Amino acid sequence: DQQVKQNSPSLSVQEGRISILNCDYTNSMFDYFLWYKKYPAEGPTFLISISSIKDKNEDGRFTVFLNKSAKHLSLHIVPSQPGDSAVYFCAASARVIQGAQKLVFGQGTRLTINP
Amino acid sequence: GAGVSQSPSNKVTEKGKDVELRCDPISGHTALYWYRQSLGQGLEFLIYFQGNSAPDKSGLPSDRFSAERTGGSVSTLTIQRTQQEDSAVYLCASSLNFQETQYFGPGTRLLVL
């Protein structure tokens, strides 16, 4: 039972353009969402998060949008840079229910930024 | 300050052997988590420690897996009688407390032959 899904295993974007990574979830109890970035042979690095009380959170080139009715979130990177090439993981947790950040991760999307 | 560290970075073992994986969390972080990432899969939660509370072991796949956290700091994940399906990257994360962002270590790549 995949509660968090990233349906695109890979995405290729030209440098300077917008990258949009998508994530869908099924558990309506999830109330906190995060995006992590992972380079080969390294652990995931936290990028940005959003609480379910918001529909948008922005940090520099990164913006996360949350559509609770559709159980969908997306990460926008603009402008995309070569250093953004990595695997991006969407994660969710049900803080209120579990009282802990037991994160449920998607399968990841490999983003490649082409010069 | 120093991030989460894990050792060894790589481990090759034979089927049936026991392995121990170590995690040193960020100093002062009270919450510690273990995840694993199998080939082509997302990260799978294994176990969670918060302070002196009983650990949340709900993600451990079998009773061959166990973990402990000594003195509220270093944690060891032990896999007994390893199987080939245990081959994965085992990732440790820590957070200031259970409500805060988790920071990950580089992982231990385990290969069971």
Side-chain angles (χ1 to χ4, degrees):
Chain A
D1 177 25
Q2 192 74 28
Q3 296 186 66
V4 177
K5 297 180 182 179
Q6 293 176 255
N7 291 318
S8 298
S10 63
L11 176 67
S12 187
V13 174
Q14 194 168 2
E15 182 179 0
R17 299 289 185 96
I18 184 171
S19 295
I20 300 176
L21 297 110
N22 294 302
C23 178
D24 298 292
Y25 61 96
T26 58
N27 188 341
S28 59
M29 301 311 300
F30 286 147
D31 56 7
Y32 192 64
F33 304 88
L34 309 90
W35 284 94
Y36 282 83
K37 172 182 178 179
K38 187 179 184 302
Y39 292 119
E42 295 184 10
T45 302
F46 170 73
L47 267 180
I48 192 168
S49 62
I50 188 168
S51 166
S52 60
I53 61 174
K54 295 186 175 182
D55 55 18
K56 177 182 175 181
N57 188 27
E58 189 173 352
D59 183 2
R61 296 186 298 114
F62 303 92
T63 303
V64 55
F65 295 92
L66 176 61
N67 182 334
K68 283 183 293 184
S69 61
K71 294 191 178 64
H72 177 84
L73 66 155
S74 61
L75 174 68
H76 293 209
I77 307 172
V78 56
S80 300
Q81 299 175 352
D84 296 331
S85 296
V87 177
Y88 289 78
F89 289 97
C90 168
S93 68
R95 284 177 156 180
V96 172
I97 293 295
Q98 296 175 313
Q101 276 194 336
K102 184 161 60 177
L103 296 177
V104 179
F105 283 83
Q107 308 95 309
T109 296
R110 181 176 301 278
L111 175 65
T112 302
I113 306 301
N114 301 308
Chain B
V4 178
S5 61
Q6 293 185 245
S7 61
S9 54
N10 292 281
K11 176 72 176 179
V12 180
T13 190
E14 293 179 348
K15 178 181 172 181
K17 296 286 182 67
D18 297 351
V19 295
E20 283 190 354
L21 313 179
R22 176 186 168 107
C23 172
D24 283 89
I26 294 172
S27 177
H29 280 196
T30 63
L32 186 147
Y33 311 77
W34 283 98
Y35 295 84
R36 75 174 176 181
Q37 184 182 13
S38 302
L39 188 63
Q41 302 295 315
L43 282 75
E44 172 191 6
F45 168 80
L46 297 177
I47 189 169
Y48 154 74
F49 296 88
Q50 168 62 46
N52 295 321
S53 303
D56 178 347
K57 305 179 182 180
S58 60
L60 294 179
S62 78
D63 58 8
R64 295 186 295 103
F65 288 72
S66 63
E68 62 178 20
R69 189 178 185 192
T70 53
S73 181
V74 172
S75 177
T76 302
L77 177 70
T78 301
I79 309 173
Q80 296 178 310
R81 305 180 303 282
T82 52
Q83 303 294 313
Q84 288 180 333
E85 60 263 28
D86 299 335
S87 297
V89 177
Y90 288 81
L91 289 153
C92 175
S94 71
S95 61
L96 191 59
N97 59 53
F98 69 89
Q99 292 286 1
E100 298 297 323
T101 301
Q102 296 179 31
Y103 295 90
F104 283 82
T108 293
R109 283 148 196 81
L110 175 66
L111 177 62
V112 182
L113 301 177

